[in-house]
Amino acid sequence: MTEAMPFRNKNEAALLLINIRQLLTLQSSEAGPRRGRDLGNLGLIEDGAVLSVGGKIVSVGKTKDALGDSWIKSNRKKIREIDCSGKVGLPGFVDSHTHPAFTAPRLADFEQRIAGATYEQIAEAGGGIRSTVEGVRKATRSALAGHVLSALHKMLAQGTTTVEAKSGYGLNLDAELKSLEAIGDAARLWPGAVVPTLLGAHALPREYEGREDKYVRIVCEEMIPRAAKRKLARFVDVFCDRGAFSLASTEHVFLAAREHGLGVRAHLCQLSHCEIVPLVKYDPASLDHMDYVGDDDIAALAAQSAISPAHQTVATLVPAANHFLGLGRFPDARRLIDSGVPVALASDYNPGTSPTTSMPFVLSLACTHLKMTPAEAIAAATINGAHALRLADCKGSIEPGKDADLAIFDVADYREIPYWIAGNRCAAVIVAGAWQAALM
Ligand SMILES: [Zn+2]
């Protein structure tokens, strides 16, 4: 099963998972994100085993081969062994779109929406994103970090091991940098991986009403250079939509990000159709929401995915936002997938439109409302999420050389993960080869 692999030092822990009833490796012979029919290929091994050493996966295969392996046999006493009988093992979820840097739920918005107000009406009446800003501006860095860390722990307990985390509720230089610092502080205390994103262009702050250009200049000339210089962010995001930022502003932000060596991604087509084609040339890692995409957009994204992985753009769908907003309309995942656009799923965890930390719940919504199969949903939430963060060289699948990040679910069949809604069947999580939760 494995080449002889001496421990590099005696502290380098080895972990062997055996008897995994269904091991979903997500291995693929094709480079790049999963597309089309390949999205549903889970690389399933029955009665699987995974060996990790020093936080990296060393070998993956059948349990009987692992137990017959000469290196494993001679080192068995030094290897921590976990029996996963009757359970499903898969890569830890990669939640590639979250907004955890906030301090309080938006309960007034919730009630107004129940009474019939729309997302845009609530925003115009003083609720929405801008109502979260005041709390974030007032919060200390450590209080904000505490909120972020609490969310990360809830995500971990439900099988998520990699999280993209955006700022975006500060909307001035100090509060945006403070949000990114808080995300960094929380990330250092959390075992999983966190990818920080600057979302200064999330909403126009009240004090810049009618002066979008001026605020965008602050994003481009102050926030992006400072965040890049201090390595506080890996990506820059923009909310480009009706009532949010224009296409021209989005291009300004993308250019500034590129100039400072940061990747780009955008919220797009959530509320209305926006032009996607002019943005594709900036090689966005991901375009998210995508409720109102047109045929030209789909053709451009499908063509983009035919070039090298460094330029591929993933369409990230966040159905929990549609669900929580009570919308009858969901993104047309089938049209995207069947046209060859790589699709990822993410929680969009945020206080206004998607207060959930649960990727299994997102998978369930994807199956029920987006008509994705359970297998497609799992691939979209693991390997394609990793591609959406440009981390697929180390995350998103269980194969030798990658980080040993796994989730073990107390179910006999992977289809049960989206099937059992509003509960948590995640039994354990392994991050960088270390056992995180022992609920088994
Ligand atoms: Zn979002």
Side-chain angles (χ1 to χ4, degrees):
M1 184 185 176
T2 180
E3 300 287 305
M5 155 66 75
F7 295 110
R8 276 161 284 187
N9 69 58
K10 62 177 188 268
N11 296 322
E12 201 160 297
L15 180 73
L16 178 64
L17 306 174
I18 55 168
N19 301 325
I20 306 168
R21 186 182 165 109
Q22 290 183 337
L23 173 63
L24 316 181
T25 65
L26 277 299
Q27 289 186 8
S28 172
S29 50
E30 308 268 320
R34 297 297 185 86
R35 301 190 287 131
R37 226 174 294 158
D38 191 38
L39 184 63
N41 174 11
L42 294 174
L44 190 154
I45 299 174
E46 287 180 352
D47 196 14
V50 180
L51 174 70
S52 73
V53 178
K56 299 281 180 194
I57 294 164
V58 173
S59 57
V60 181
K62 290 265 193 195
T63 298
K64 68 173 170 27
D65 297 330
L67 297 180
D69 179 83
S70 58
W71 184 86
I72 288 177
K73 277 206 244 172
S74 57
N75 288 281
R76 194 101 181 248
K77 280 191 189 138
K78 293 186 231 161
I79 300 173
R80 181 168 184 196
E81 194 173 291
I82 309 275
D83 182 358
C84 298
S85 293
K87 297 183 172 62
V88 170
L90 69 159
F93 294 121
V94 178
D95 190 349
S96 58
H97 180 145
T98 85
H99 303 251
F102 65 90
T103 57
R106 289 221 296 268
L107 304 177
D109 292 14
F110 186 41
E111 285 194 321
Q112 283 169 27
R113 201 161 43 244
I114 293 165
T118 66
Y119 178 83
E120 287 167 291
Q121 286 165 343
I122 290 169
E124 279 159 23
I129 292 166
R130 293 194 287 198
S131 66
T132 297
V133 170
E134 200 178 335
V136 169
R137 286 183 179 174
K138 278 187 192 152
T140 63
R141 170 175 165 177
S142 69
L144 204 47
H147 285 284
V148 175
L149 186 59
S150 162
L152 292 174
H153 282 317
K154 290 185 182 82
M155 291 170 181
L156 188 78
Q158 294 169 98
T160 299
T161 53
T162 298
V163 174
E164 185 259 10
K166 306 176 198 293
S167 66
Y169 296 114
L171 306 186
N172 64 31
L173 177 66
D174 288 350
E176 284 296 309
L177 294 179
K178 178 177 69 181
S179 298
L180 291 171
E181 287 166 346
I183 288 168
D185 293 345
R188 282 184 281 280
L189 297 172
W190 190 62
V194 175
V195 176
T197 294
L198 170 67
L199 179 54
H202 193 194
L204 195 61
R206 241 181 278 278
E207 59 274 23
Y208 284 90
E209 196 75 66
R211 296 185 296 153
E212 178 172 327
D213 289 357
K214 193 137 204 253
Y215 180 68
V216 169
R217 272 215 298 281
I218 291 169
V219 173
C220 295
E221 293 169 16
E222 298 181 28
M223 292 183 194
I224 290 173
R226 295 277 290 274
K229 186 160 183 238
R230 296 180 52 201
K231 297 192 174 8
L232 291 173
R234 237 184 274 174
F235 287 98
V236 176
D237 194 341
V238 185
F239 185 8
C240 174
D241 215 318
R242 185 175 73 201
F245 290 90
S246 67
L247 177 67
S249 296
T250 304
E251 292 201 60
H252 284 310
V253 173
F254 277 11
L255 279 169
R258 185 151 79 179
E259 199 180 305
H260 288 87
L262 298 176
V264 297
R265 51 204 316 111
H267 289 65
L268 217 60
C269 299
Q270 179 184 6
L271 308 168
S272 64
H273 177 254
C274 326
E275 280 190 274
I276 290 179
V277 175
L279 297 177
V280 171
K281 63 176 176 286
Y282 299 97
D283 297 335
S286 180
L287 297 175
D288 301 18
H289 284 280
M290 308 290 272
D291 293 41
Y292 291 86
V293 282
D295 290 337
D296 289 357
D297 308 319
I298 290 178
L301 290 172
Q304 177 84 346
S305 61
I307 39 182
S308 77
H311 300 281
Q312 280 165 346
T313 301
V314 174
T316 300
L317 310 180
V318 292
N322 301 66
H323 167 78
F324 192 71
L325 289 172
L327 305 177
R329 184 187 173 121
F330 284 80
D332 193 347
R334 281 266 56 97
R335 191 156 63 112
L336 289 162
I337 295 165
D338 297 341
S339 307
V341 176
V343 165
L345 288 167
S347 71
D348 193 15
Y349 172 67
N350 79 78
T353 62
S354 187
T356 181
T357 49
S358 171
M359 286 297 279
F361 178 57
V362 172
L363 266 55
S364 189
L365 293 172
C367 295
T368 303
H369 294 288
L370 308 189
K371 309 303 174 197
M372 292 172 70
T373 65
E376 288 174 333
I378 288 171
T382 53
I383 187 63
N384 277 12
H387 280 287
L389 297 180
R390 303 256 158 98
L391 284 181
D393 56 334
C394 57
K395 305 287 184 191
S397 62
I398 301 173
E399 49 194 317
K402 285 204 179 185
D403 296 345
D405 295 350
L406 287 87
I408 307 295
F409 273 75
D410 191 9
V411 293
D413 185 302
Y414 70 84
R415 291 170 296 185
E416 292 181 70
I417 296 172
Y419 174 89
W420 297 110
I421 51 172
N424 185 15
R425 297 283 177 127
C426 181
V429 181
I430 294 112
V431 183
W435 191 252
Q436 299 297 323
L439 308 175
M440 296 166 78

